[in-house]
Amino acid sequence: MSLGRICLLSVLASLCLCMFAHAADDGTEFFEKKIRPILTAECYKCHSAEAQKIKGGFRIDSREAVLKGGESGKPAILPGDPDNSPLVQAIRYTNSDLQMPPKKQLSAAVVQDFEAWVKMGAPDPRTQTAQTAAPAKDFRSHWAFQPVREVAIPAVKNPGWIRTPVDAFVLAKLEEKGLSPSPPADKRTLIRRAYYDLWGLPPSFEEVEAFEHDDSPDAFAKVVDRLLASPRYGERWGRYWLDLARYADTKGYVYTDREDPRFVHSHNYRDWVIRALNKDLPYDQFLKLQIAADQMDCPREDLAAMGFLTVGRRFLGVIHDIIDDRIDTLTRTTQALSVGCARCHDHKFDPIPQRDYYSLYGVFDACSERIVPLQGPPATRTPEYLAYEAGLKERTDKLNETFAKKCDEVAQRARARTADYLLAVLDVEKLPDELFYSFRDGNDIYPVIVRQWQQYLFAQGKHWSRIWGPWHELAKLPAGNFSEQAASILRGLSDERLRYTNHHVVEALGAITPATMRDVAIAYGKLFQEVDRRWKG
């Protein structure tokens, strides 16, 4: 079956499913993506049926349990009223007697999500019935996985009304309900319907007049053929597929101070979809190219089809959410299924185990994104092309030069504040998780660099490092008698470990009497600044 026919039917079916999903969505998707993962990770170990001992008699693994509350007898949430909901008060840490989780305060962004959830009425699909419902195991009976099959054309009482096989199905259903078809539309109405359906635009006065005066038996067929042959047809119906593919030329929520918020090449995917419909690309090819064009023997311009996967939202660069969005888009459009629930657990009703979700996740996680030219250089290098090529090189060189200069400036600032970053590593848990990639006040430290220092030092701490061995030994000391024990460790550097420790580090630490790790960090920072100065000559 050609793309023009099957895509039209599948898009309409998918649109109906999507409209139903949006109409039925009362905040459940927000709960599944923002609330349930936090409850599972932070609360279930003490407040669910899985807990060895349910603390405070309070369970949080179903809506009924949350509304019932614990030993206090008060509901944990008051839907619509976050300020007076004990659960929200607990995660805000504003009440010294009620702070949850007890050992780690949730980030401000997570607290805001819970406030928004309660404000919208605390939608929660985790009913006690759903908690005990067994997931469907046999996918062979699921409607979405049934193979396409030939359907017999139904018999009707009035076969003279039928012009195409589709008419038989329409008429059979009308007769079943005791209804009869509407009378044929007049020619003016008919051509307007055709134009709006296939182009989304009305016909001109002259086109209506010409059709009304065309008495040939194939007059309407000629109108339809002309509309289908026009690029306007692909623009009209491609839009519906692009909606399902969540096409956009912007990336959603990103840090615009470090990333362009636009997909500057997204129009290539849009234009590819339009061309695919206009040239009646077979439906199986239409899907395969969008999923794996890079693995197929296809013309270079068909690589634009993979915008289907890459034009989605970027979620501040959180790869887990990016991949989840791609899995969700792929399964909704090709199987009419939403598998997002399986990110956290086996689907409660559909045959979608969590294992299958993460099998798909592994495929996407192993992929990389690249920008590739969709067309090669022209066969004849015209003066216009040579001028363009020279201008492009000039702009590229300028960009690279500016970027290298900016990188050097950032590196210099980071080197000058080595001591501050080392100190921040000692208390890295106080840095905001959700703002991991954000630039803050110009005089403040950059959390990304702190995390990179943390990872680097962790790797260096797996064995005695010639540079960082003393750091790790001193970092283990309690604050109570730090100075006394630090002196003993530093004296030991002159013994058997001297040959395993960089002599510049030994000299720098030997010149101080550290009272805290702050003194050690400052000593390391001064040493690195001096090394950097000598390196530059």
Side-chain angles (χ1 to χ4, degrees):
M1 183 178 287
S2 68
L3 175 61
R5 294 179 180 177
I6 195 169
C7 192
L8 180 61
L9 294 174
S10 63
V11 165
L12 287 173
S14 299
L15 282 173
C16 291
L17 288 167
C18 289
M19 286 188 288
F20 174 79
H22 285 299
D25 184 14
D26 56 357
T28 300
E29 184 174 355
F30 184 88
F31 173 85
E32 294 290 356
K33 289 191 173 183
K34 298 290 188 179
I35 306 302
R36 189 197 286 263
I38 302 300
L39 296 178
T40 303
E42 304 292 346
C43 307
Y44 275 19
K45 57 187 174 183
C46 298
H47 299 286
S48 73
E50 304 169 3
Q52 294 182 352
K53 181 181 179 181
I54 301 176
K55 295 187 178 181
F58 174 48
R59 284 177 54 177
I60 203 167
D61 52 354
S62 73
R63 177 175 175 81
E64 291 84 355
V66 175
L67 294 176
K68 179 181 178 182
E71 295 174 349
S72 66
K74 298 179 180 179
I77 58 172
L78 300 176
D81 187 2
D83 292 336
N84 292 312
S85 296
L87 177 62
V88 176
Q89 295 173 356
I91 64 175
R92 283 174 174 171
Y93 266 55
T94 54
N95 185 344
S96 59
D97 296 327
L98 183 64
Q99 295 182 344
M100 292 292 167
K103 297 181 180 180
K104 176 186 176 182
Q105 184 176 1
L106 300 177
S107 69
V110 171
V111 173
Q112 290 173 2
D113 288 339
F114 272 82
E115 292 172 346
W117 173 60
V118 174
K119 189 174 293 185
M120 68 174 66
D124 186 349
R126 303 170 309 144
T127 63
Q128 291 178 345
T129 302
Q131 289 284 40
T132 58
K137 298 297 183 183
D138 187 4
F139 68 88
R140 289 170 296 186
S141 62
H142 194 279
W143 69 268
F145 305 133
Q146 300 307 306
V148 176
R149 58 187 176 86
E150 292 287 345
V151 179
I153 298 176
V156 295
K157 299 175 183 177
N158 181 19
W161 184 81
I162 296 174
R163 297 185 182 181
T164 71
V166 174
D167 294 340
F169 291 91
V170 175
L171 184 57
K173 187 60 68 173
L174 288 173
E175 292 178 346
E176 179 186 317
K177 302 297 182 181
L179 303 173
S180 58
S182 299
D186 61 83
K187 297 188 75 171
R188 180 178 293 269
T189 301
L190 190 59
I191 191 174
R192 285 177 61 82
R193 287 177 180 173
Y195 266 78
Y196 276 116
D197 283 347
L198 298 179
W199 280 15
L201 298 169
S204 67
F205 175 80
E206 291 76 16
E207 289 166 331
V208 174
E209 289 287 305
F211 178 60
E212 286 186 313
H213 290 92
D214 187 350
D215 296 325
S216 61
D218 62 346
F220 186 62
K222 289 188 293 186
V223 169
V224 172
D225 288 342
R226 179 166 55 82
L227 295 176
L228 290 175
S230 168
R232 303 292 84 75
Y233 166 71
E235 293 169 2
R236 157 72 162 156
W237 283 99
R239 179 262 175 92
Y240 290 104
W241 180 263
L242 291 171
D243 283 348
L244 296 176
R246 49 66 170 119
Y247 170 78
D249 57 9
T250 56
K251 300 177 181 178
Y253 190 16
V254 296
Y255 291 117
T256 55
D257 53 4
R258 60 187 300 271
E259 181 177 0
D260 192 332
R262 301 164 300 157
F263 288 114
V264 295
H265 303 292
S266 61
H267 64 280
N268 291 302
Y269 172 61
R270 177 201 65 198
D271 294 346
W272 181 89
V273 170
I274 293 171
R275 289 196 304 270
L277 267 80
N278 281 327
K279 69 180 183 181
D280 217 14
L281 184 70
Y283 186 59
D284 60 338
Q285 289 293 104
F286 180 71
L287 293 182
K288 289 177 181 177
L289 287 169
Q290 292 181 84
I291 299 169
D294 60 329
Q295 302 297 313
M296 299 171 63
D297 183 15
C298 62
R300 181 191 289 264
E301 56 266 23
D302 279 339
L303 291 174
M306 299 200 71
F308 173 74
L309 298 174
T310 58
V311 298
R313 292 174 291 169
R314 290 310 168 111
F315 304 99
L316 298 177
V318 179
I319 189 62
H320 314 298
D321 292 336
I322 294 173
I323 292 177
D324 178 69
D325 176 63
R326 291 174 179 175
I327 292 174
D328 186 61
T329 301
L330 174 66
T331 54
R332 283 178 186 259
T333 54
T334 63
Q335 299 179 8
L337 288 174
S338 173
V339 305
C341 297
R343 183 180 182 181
C344 299
H345 53 78
D346 288 348
H347 202 290
K348 298 301 182 183
F349 305 107
D350 293 336
I352 306 169
Q354 192 175 28
R355 181 175 182 176
D356 285 359
Y357 175 94
Y358 282 99
S359 294
L360 273 176
Y361 182 100
V363 173
F364 283 114
D365 192 42
C367 297
S368 61
E369 292 184 49
R370 302 173 190 171
I371 296 178
V372 296
L374 299 179
Q375 294 180 343
T380 303
R381 299 170 67 84
T382 62
E384 292 81 7
Y385 178 78
L386 292 174
Y388 166 79
E389 191 176 51
L392 177 62
K393 184 178 184 304
E394 180 182 354
R395 293 191 296 271
T396 302
D397 291 344
K398 183 177 180 180
L399 174 64
N400 291 335
E401 180 184 349
T402 303
F403 184 75
K405 182 178 179 181
K406 179 62 68 173
C407 287
D408 186 60
E409 291 175 359
V410 173
Q412 288 296 336
R413 288 199 299 269
R415 292 190 189 104
R417 303 196 62 183
T418 298
D420 294 330
Y421 281 110
L422 289 173
L423 282 171
V425 169
L426 299 174
D427 213 4
V428 69
E429 297 304 325
K430 289 187 177 180
L431 289 176
D433 293 332
E434 295 297 325
L435 300 181
F436 185 88
Y437 290 102
S438 67
F439 284 101
R440 297 188 290 169
D441 189 300
N443 295 321
D444 206 345
I445 59 174
Y446 184 23
V448 173
I449 298 179
V450 180
R451 303 281 181 176
Q452 291 173 340
W453 266 111
Q454 181 192 32
Q455 294 172 6
Y456 168 73
L457 290 174
F458 176 78
Q460 293 295 312
K462 294 180 179 180
H463 51 80
W464 182 267
S465 165
R466 299 186 68 242
I467 303 295
W468 298 104
W471 171 276
H472 286 291
E473 291 294 312
L474 294 170
K476 297 176 185 177
L477 300 180
N481 56 347
F482 181 92
S483 181
E484 185 177 316
Q485 295 189 51
S488 176
I489 290 175
L490 295 178
R491 284 195 299 271
L493 293 178
S494 60
D495 300 331
E496 73 278 3
R497 283 182 172 171
L498 177 60
R499 56 182 177 150
Y500 299 115
T501 306
N502 184 284
H503 70 278
H504 292 293
V505 176
V506 174
E507 292 175 2
L509 297 178
I512 65 172
T513 304
T516 64
M517 279 301 295
R518 177 179 178 82
D519 297 330
V520 178
I522 291 174
Y524 268 95
K526 290 181 177 179
L527 172 61
F528 291 150
Q529 287 181 354
E530 177 62 18
V531 170
D532 186 52
R533 185 187 65 79
R534 293 186 183 182
W535 179 267
K536 293 178 179 177

